[in-house]
Amino acid sequence: MEIIKVKDSTEGGKVAFDLLEKEMQKGIKVLGLATGSTPETFYEQIRNSDLDFSNMISINLDEYVGLSSDDKNSYHYFMDEKLFNHKPFEATYVPQGDAEDLDQECVRYDKIIEENPIDFQILGIGRNGHIGFNEPGSSFDLQTHVVDLTPSTIEANKIYFDSEDQMPKKALSMGIASILKSQKIVLMAYGESKADAVKKTVQHEVSNDIPATILQKHDNITIIVDEEAAKYL
Ligand code: F6R
């Protein structure tokens, strides 16, 4: 694991952007993308750049169950706002949260991932060590699946909704088996609330209880952390 310490999320976004630019110069095709507050500065860097994504494909990690792509709280809407409306891609994929048949949606999504192997995967991390929405206890062998969000994740993400009642308690998430197949992974973590999860990701023995620990087994991962998130390292 390569660990890059930065001052703050602004610098972290720049470092992640530089890594992406370098990989795109080598000709990569498929990006795995995350939502949430962590990658915002990274997307800002992309929006302000002249990097061309018209030959690129993106595959997002997750989506809330029940939310349509035009729901303002959906991850699809977030991606439109932060990136896709600004940078045209050849194709963009986000799990369909309002699919009638969720099991079939998981199968459809896995086919997309299989047909478009991910070259460069962006990750944030939950306070409980989740990656994507692979919550503690998740099997490392899973592909796309329906997840029951944990109280910790509901607590962290409910602020984006008008009330906790409105926050979906289930999500569709790419599985860890798929995340691990990415050629390169860049995980970003900012703020004190991530410090414990970051320490465990790097130092704890690999365990399903802290899903991000499995990243120790990946041979091309860069972790970008600000001073607060790095405070226990
Ligand atoms: C989002 C995702 C999640 C987030 C994590 C951190 O697509 O996969 O794992 O990266 O919950 O969220 P933030 O960045 O909002 O702290």
Side-chain angles (χ1 to χ4, degrees):
M1 284 179 153
E2 179 195 26
I3 299 177
I4 302 178
K5 292 187 187 170
V6 294
K7 187 162 76 54
D8 54 23
S9 62
T10 304
E11 194 185 328
K14 283 187 191 141
V15 171
F17 175 81
D18 289 346
L19 290 172
L20 173 66
E21 192 175 29
K22 217 164 82 192
E23 293 299 314
M24 283 176 65
Q25 280 161 359
K26 290 188 209 158
I28 64 164
K29 174 93 187 158
V30 184
L31 305 183
L33 297 178
T35 52
S37 59
T38 306
E40 290 217 29
T41 52
F42 169 67
Y43 294 139
E44 190 183 346
Q45 287 290 318
I46 295 181
R47 289 197 302 275
N48 294 335
S49 76
D50 52 14
L51 216 51
D52 178 18
F53 290 81
S54 57
N55 292 319
M56 300 293 288
I57 291 172
S58 73
I59 304 181
N60 262 79
L61 283 166
D62 39 22
E63 179 60 285
Y64 288 114
V65 165
L67 301 194
S68 65
S69 57
D70 56 2
D71 187 302
K72 287 196 163 49
N73 284 312
S74 73
Y75 282 165
H76 198 133
Y77 189 90
F78 174 99
M79 290 308 303
D80 285 344
E81 290 281 296
K82 304 290 177 191
L83 188 60
F84 303 150
N85 290 344
H86 307 267
K87 290 281 184 186
F89 278 65
E90 182 182 307
T92 61
Y93 299 102
V94 182
Q96 197 190 327
D98 63 347
E100 243 171 62
D101 184 333
L102 293 175
D103 291 336
Q104 215 175 301
E105 174 59 8
C106 293
V107 172
R108 183 189 77 91
Y109 212 65
D110 283 337
K111 193 154 176 277
I112 291 168
I113 297 166
E114 204 183 303
E115 287 170 358
N116 301 282
I118 296 172
D119 296 305
F120 187 95
Q121 176 69 56
I122 287 289
L123 293 179
I125 184 168
R127 296 171 197 186
N128 60 8
H130 72 216
I131 46 175
F133 272 140
N134 293 278
E135 296 281 37
S138 302
S139 159
F140 294 145
D141 299 329
L142 282 176
Q143 293 184 283
T144 307
H145 58 293
V146 180
V147 180
D148 287 317
L149 298 174
T150 60
S152 157
T153 301
I154 294 168
E155 185 61 31
N157 289 11
K158 69 181 188 191
I159 51 163
Y160 299 107
F161 294 81
D162 289 339
S163 72
E164 188 174 328
D165 289 352
Q166 286 182 26
M167 180 178 164
K169 307 297 181 298
K170 285 181 189 285
L172 287 166
S173 180
M174 189 188 287
I176 287 179
S178 309
I179 292 173
L180 289 177
K181 282 190 192 148
S182 312
Q183 281 301 316
K184 175 160 189 68
I185 297 177
V186 175
L187 181 146
M188 294 179 273
Y190 308 126
E192 199 178 351
S193 67
K194 303 292 174 70
D196 186 53
V198 166
K199 176 181 185 236
K200 288 176 174 156
T201 300
V202 177
Q203 294 174 4
H204 196 281
E205 67 180 289
V206 175
S207 160
N208 299 93
D209 295 338
I210 307 145
T213 54
I214 190 65
L215 298 173
Q216 293 170 22
K217 303 272 184 210
H218 197 276
D219 59 8
N220 190 359
I221 170 159
T222 301
I223 299 184
I224 302 171
V225 273
D226 70 359
E227 286 165 10
E228 290 180 337
K231 84 174 196 186
Y232 300 135
L233 292 185

